[in-house]
Amino acid sequence: MAARVMQRHVGMTNPVAGERAPEFSLPKDAENHVLRRSELAGKPAVLVFYPADWSPVCGDQLAIYNELRDELGRHNAQLVGISVDGVWCHRAFREHRKFWFPLLSDFEPKGEVARRYGVYRAADGIAERALFVLRPDGVIAWRYVSPVNVNPGADGILDALEQLHAEAA
Amino acid sequence: MWLKMPIDPQRDHIRGPSNAPLQLVEYGDFQCPYCGRAYYEVQEVERRLRGQLQYVFRHFPLSEIHPLAVPAAETSEAAAAQGRFWEMYSMLYENQEALERPYLLRYARALGLDIAAVDAALDNHLYLPRIREDFNSGVRSGVNGTPCFFINGRRHDGAWDADSLLKTLERARQQQQPTQRATPRHL
């Protein structure tokens, strides 16, 4: 277990709340368009790292976020999913589940962005089930890493966004 | 995670005695096949805990993947307005493969409901705010998929077959007992 934990942290940074969210530039579709972290600036952003497309638990987790378009819109918040799956896999998954938000491919170099955010499970080759809420200025307001087999739901995200809203008011 | 919106006899759909020591709240979606299976498991749980359990159903339609879930939920609320929620709830879960509008109206007719009222409720989305209220209360309580159960207010994680639910309900009952026994000693 100790070896596994150490291995997880090799080459990883581990940004926490109050620190600047690491930059990234990842493919957001199969047409080679990319989304940069800097493009999310100006509005709150929710980054959802998850282990894999198609696993039933992920489906449930993202399916709930998919229902929260209005709620997130009220907070002016942008939502992106991030996993190590490739762009074609993401495309099929998005179309099948009718997701309105983009899924980014942390595919090559594999898991590099998850590592930067301190949420890569090197032993398994997948991202943790991790949530980050970013302030409009790109600073991490809240982060949560769920046990990988537990779907964290949306309550923590909405709490963090409400907190941001209260601070801004 | 805990149920944030307490059971409210004024608004909730409740089956079972109001003084029951055990409460099972389900957040469900009429088009979700897992909820369709849970429907039979819940019946078994109710049968085995008769008189000791209150069962509450709240709406949690995942409308993007289940486009017929909201109209089905609206139909159940229109039936509730005519005092027939549980009959419609059963009708919908037992006919999950047919939830398009003509079927919904056929079920309403079979239950002897005022069809014009049901039709108007569906057209005007009369009960959508209530369904949204259920949904939002679920999100804030940590509902993370359907079906999602709360047992005496606490989210039940893991399997939801009748035996698993009964095991957790039994544990909830045992957790209640020490405080009930302790009360007389403190008096």
Side-chain angles (χ1 to χ4, degrees):
Chain A
M1 189 63 207
R4 190 180 167 115
V5 170
M6 291 215 4
Q7 190 187 2
R8 261 184 57 193
H9 289 279
V10 168
M12 291 224 288
T13 51
N14 201 23
V16 296
E19 294 179 4
R20 179 153 292 280
E23 293 301 326
F24 60 72
S25 173
L26 288 174
K28 65 174 178 183
D29 57 34
E31 285 75 46
N32 285 326
H33 295 110
V34 299
L35 181 76
R36 293 180 181 79
R37 209 279 293 153
S38 54
E39 291 172 51
L40 299 171
K43 292 177 184 177
V46 181
L47 308 183
V48 178
F49 287 91
Y50 62 98
D53 289 349
W54 302 111
S55 82
V57 177
C58 299
D60 276 342
Q61 183 186 356
L62 296 181
I64 288 172
Y65 305 153
N66 208 27
E67 298 293 324
L68 294 177
R69 192 173 196 160
D70 293 347
E71 189 76 14
L72 293 168
R74 254 196 294 286
H75 291 286
N76 221 2
Q78 315 157 83
L79 177 72
V80 296
I82 307 174
S83 79
V84 298
D85 295 286
V87 289
W88 298 104
C89 186
H90 271 346
R91 176 149 133 180
F93 185 48
R94 263 193 93 209
E95 285 176 3
H96 184 262
R97 301 279 166 92
K98 303 188 170 64
F99 294 140
W100 53 267
F101 48 88
L103 300 177
L104 308 184
S105 284
D106 194 11
F107 181 71
E108 182 58 38
K110 190 180 176 197
E112 192 189 25
V113 172
R115 281 175 213 269
R116 267 184 227 164
Y117 278 78
V119 294
Y120 190 62
R121 299 170 68 88
D124 303 317
I126 53 175
E128 296 276 7
R129 207 175 283 286
L131 305 171
F132 288 81
V133 171
L134 311 187
R135 296 193 335 210
D137 63 2
V139 168
I140 297 169
W142 177 77
R143 65 168 264 166
Y144 177 74
V145 182
S146 184
V148 80
N149 55 352
V150 177
N151 171 349
D155 185 48
I157 294 173
L158 295 179
D159 271 349
L161 289 172
E162 275 165 19
Q163 182 77 27
L164 272 188
H165 192 77
E167 283 167 14
Chain B
M1 292 298 299
W2 293 84
L3 193 64
K4 295 257 171 71
M5 183 168 81
I7 298 172
D8 178 358
Q10 299 302 314
R11 73 176 295 287
D12 276 315
H13 304 299
I14 306 176
R15 201 151 70 177
S18 58
N19 60 351
L22 296 170
Q23 283 138 4
L24 178 67
V25 176
E26 176 182 353
Y27 281 88
D29 168 324
F30 287 116
Q31 204 187 346
C32 162
Y34 299 100
C35 297
R37 268 187 259 162
Y39 165 74
Y40 295 98
E41 303 296 329
V42 167
Q43 283 185 342
E44 175 66 11
V45 168
E46 286 184 286
R47 197 181 62 74
R48 279 157 67 177
L49 290 174
R50 198 172 295 288
Q52 306 166 63
L53 178 75
Q54 249 190 340
Y55 169 60
V56 177
F57 182 85
R58 288 180 178 166
H59 301 288
F60 203 84
L62 294 172
S63 60
E64 297 284 344
I65 43 175
H66 298 145
L68 303 177
V70 169
E74 290 177 311
T75 306
S76 76
E77 288 301 323
Q82 299 183 43
R84 310 293 293 276
F85 173 80
W86 291 108
E87 291 89 336
M88 184 58 83
Y89 155 95
S90 295
M91 193 71 105
L92 295 168
Y93 272 133
E94 288 170 17
N95 296 282
Q96 273 196 306
E97 71 293 347
L99 298 176
E100 290 80 3
R101 179 80 164 249
Y103 292 107
L104 297 177
L105 293 176
R106 187 185 294 180
Y107 306 146
R109 203 169 296 123
L111 293 177
L113 301 182
D114 173 351
I115 300 298
V118 175
D119 212 24
L122 288 172
D123 277 341
N124 303 323
H125 301 293
L126 192 55
Y127 300 107
L128 194 55
R130 186 236 151 82
I131 293 163
R132 290 241 168 87
E133 192 176 76
D134 274 8
F135 185 90
N136 290 335
S137 78
V139 169
R140 300 320 302 248
S141 304
V143 169
N144 55 9
T146 52
C148 187
F149 292 97
F150 290 80
I151 289 175
N152 285 15
R154 180 188 235 143
R155 192 177 76 195
H156 169 80
D157 291 327
W160 40 257
D161 58 282
D163 285 340
S164 301
L165 288 173
L166 283 162
K167 211 176 283 173
T168 310
L169 283 158
E170 196 47 52
R171 216 168 18 227
R173 193 212 304 270
Q174 282 164 8
Q175 279 165 0
Q176 279 182 334
Q177 276 169 355
T179 44
Q180 280 167 4
R181 275 203 301 271
T183 317
R185 274 206 296 272
H186 290 299
L187 286 173

